[in-house]
Amino acid sequence: MYKIAIVGCGWVGQQHADGCRAIKGCKIIGMVDPQMELTKKVAAQFNTAAYGSLDELFKKDKPDIISVCTPPNLHRAIVEEALKKGVRHIISEKPLAHNVVDARAIQKAVKSAKATFMTAFCHRFVEPIMQIKKIIDSGKLGEVVFFRNQFSSRFDGVQQRWFSNPKYSGGGCLIDTSVHSIDLFRYLCGEAKSVSARTASRMAGLKVEDTSCVLLQNSAGSIGVIEASWNVAIGQAYLEVSGTKGKIIYEYWGPFRARFEGDKDWRDIPIKRDINRRFEDEIRNFIGIIEGKKSCGPGVEDGVRANEIIDAAYRSIKMKKWIAL
Ligand SMILES: NC(=O)c1ccc[n+]([C@@H]2O[C@H](COP(=O)([O-])OP(=O)(O)OC[C@H]3O[C@@H](n4cnc5c(N)ncnc54)[C@H](O)[C@@H]3O)[C@@H](O)[C@H]2O)c1
């Protein structure tokens, strides 16, 4: 039985708790968050204990796994503290950190403790994405020409949330949202070798970008077009991969279809697992890593690499040019 503690009781902490609850062999021993009213409420919902800090938790119990679900600027301190307290299995939310310095420090601490670590890029565990990965790897799509990925929505009230305070987040929608897409490009198409980006900020009172477009290119020439926005009326979560032999389109919560050379029409691809189970599958996969099973990661190095690409994307905006990675 793996004893897990979840640090941060906000939206994602609750998703992780919900995922853990569905996994046999995993027991939530506590929810940790300084907002005690919220923590008690969430802990009661998941039938576990509420703690205001890791110190309080460790006075009572010792987790095998911690899941870090706080704003990004706190990931480093929490990972380092947990490692010092002897925890050797850590899953930490995206982005790995709010900047490259902290991301590399996390990697160093994890490596020297020989800990098992996952950067929680949950989209790798969306079942249609797993199918897309298999189709690309099988060669059925040919060489990838374009990768297009958009995550957009209207994020009302973002001005009052940590997401738009660069001290906590490291930036706006580019780091917060496109970090997922950057990981997906690397995962599906291979390592990015250059990046260019543009951003816009038109929401009243916002200090960071509300809209971004990142272009990536890998060494084979595949181009990734990555869009994110907090400022659109009609949001979208969309992935399209066009290859020399076919094309796949996945509209999250909508159609999933492919068309290959010679096909007269589009083929619908059956979706075998509910997208809302992605956090459960991510944690299950992490337990598999702990037990030495083959895994798609994503490891600490994937988190660092995404932070490095984001950093270069922000530099490309200032310098108005492509940046080699
Ligand atoms: N994988 C995804 O799809 C996804 C979606 C949303 C957010 N996230 C990521 O998850 C993390 C949290 O985001 P969220 O949306 O849950 O934010 P949130 O604001 O809903 O929750 C964050 C929680 O962290 C708590 N917190 C602050 N300091 C703390 C500390 N020292 N110890 C413990 N808890 C502390 C806050 O009180 C708050 O309850 C971020 O890294 C974010 O980028 C991932």
Side-chain angles (χ1 to χ4, degrees):
M1 179 67 71
Y2 291 98
K3 297 199 286 182
I4 183 162
I6 295 167
V7 186
C9 287
W11 188 80
V12 160
Q14 294 175 42
Q15 302 308 309
H16 282 218
D18 199 43
C20 289
R21 185 159 60 174
I23 301 172
K24 271 191 201 154
C26 182
K27 181 172 187 249
I28 308 171
I29 61 158
M31 302 294 302
V32 183
D33 193 312
Q35 287 195 64
M36 275 321 282
E37 209 171 306
L38 169 73
T39 314
K40 281 182 187 159
K41 195 173 136 211
V42 175
Q45 195 186 327
F46 292 99
N47 198 21
T48 188
Y51 300 101
S53 67
L54 277 181
D55 271 343
E56 269 182 39
L57 162 71
F58 273 78
K59 278 180 196 150
K60 290 270 163 73
D61 212 340
K62 183 174 184 288
D64 303 303
I65 304 174
I66 69 154
S67 153
V68 183
C69 298
T70 63
N73 66 315
L74 300 172
H75 294 177
R76 175 182 175 179
I78 292 168
V79 169
E80 288 176 346
E81 187 183 352
L83 290 172
K84 268 195 198 123
K85 287 180 175 348
V87 179
R88 286 297 171 267
H89 309 303
I90 300 176
I91 174 164
S92 188
E93 264 303 333
K94 51 53 60 175
L96 180 58
H98 64 310
N99 61 37
V100 176
V101 172
D102 272 24
R104 289 187 182 140
I106 292 174
Q107 183 178 36
K108 200 172 161 204
V110 165
K111 293 282 168 205
S112 72
K114 296 192 173 53
T116 319
F117 190 93
M118 176 187 268
T119 310
F121 288 124
C122 63
H123 291 265
R124 289 199 191 194
F125 304 97
V126 171
E127 195 265 342
I129 301 282
M130 293 176 177
Q131 292 202 53
I132 292 171
K133 168 82 175 149
K134 277 194 193 140
I135 293 169
I136 293 174
D137 290 353
S138 75
K140 242 182 129 181
L141 216 57
E143 289 165 30
V144 174
V145 176
F146 281 125
F147 162 104
R148 299 183 66 94
N149 185 201
Q150 180 178 135
F151 295 120
S152 60
S153 62
R154 170 154 286 152
F155 194 163
D156 287 326
V158 67
Q159 296 89 335
Q160 282 78 52
R161 302 283 309 276
W162 63 260
F163 291 85
S164 64
N165 184 336
K167 271 192 198 164
Y168 294 76
S169 59
C173 66
L174 195 164
I175 184 164
D176 174 67
T177 310
S178 293
V179 69
H180 280 300
S181 312
I182 288 166
D183 181 64
L184 283 180
F185 178 84
R186 295 184 58 246
Y187 182 53
L188 296 174
C189 307
E191 190 56 87
K193 293 292 178 195
S194 54
V195 61
S196 172
R198 293 298 284 262
T199 55
S201 185
R202 281 180 291 185
M203 289 168 85
L206 193 70
K207 293 193 199 93
V208 292
E209 73 280 0
D210 57 48
T211 301
S212 60
C213 180
V214 177
L215 299 178
L216 293 176
Q217 191 158 32
N218 66 14
S219 55
S222 316
I223 292 177
V225 183
I226 290 171
E227 298 158 337
S229 183
W230 292 333
N231 193 29
V232 293
I234 312 298
Q236 202 175 20
Y238 176 82
L239 176 66
E240 176 191 303
V241 186
S242 301
T244 52
K245 294 184 183 170
K247 184 181 186 101
I248 306 179
I249 293 176
Y250 173 44
E251 184 90 46
Y252 283 57
W253 292 278
F256 180 30
R257 52 193 193 151
R259 189 164 174 173
F260 299 99
E261 238 174 2
D263 282 355
K264 288 207 175 72
D265 207 346
W266 289 90
R267 334 167 165 193
D268 286 321
I269 309 176
I271 296 174
K272 296 175 199 131
R273 189 146 167 92
D274 182 354
I275 185 172
N276 296 317
R277 309 287 288 272
R278 66 192 183 282
F279 294 102
E280 175 190 333
D281 292 343
E282 175 179 74
I283 296 160
R284 208 186 287 285
N285 186 76
F286 184 58
I287 289 173
I289 297 176
I290 295 171
E291 294 178 348
K293 293 189 189 132
K294 199 168 168 271
S295 150
C296 68
V300 70
E301 56 291 340
D302 293 304
V304 172
R305 189 65 182 153
N307 266 111
E308 288 171 347
I309 294 171
I310 287 161
D311 191 61
Y314 282 125
R315 270 186 283 132
S316 106
I317 295 163
K318 281 198 188 125
M319 295 164 74
K320 295 192 168 54
K321 62 174 201 177
W322 280 82
I323 305 280
L325 295 163

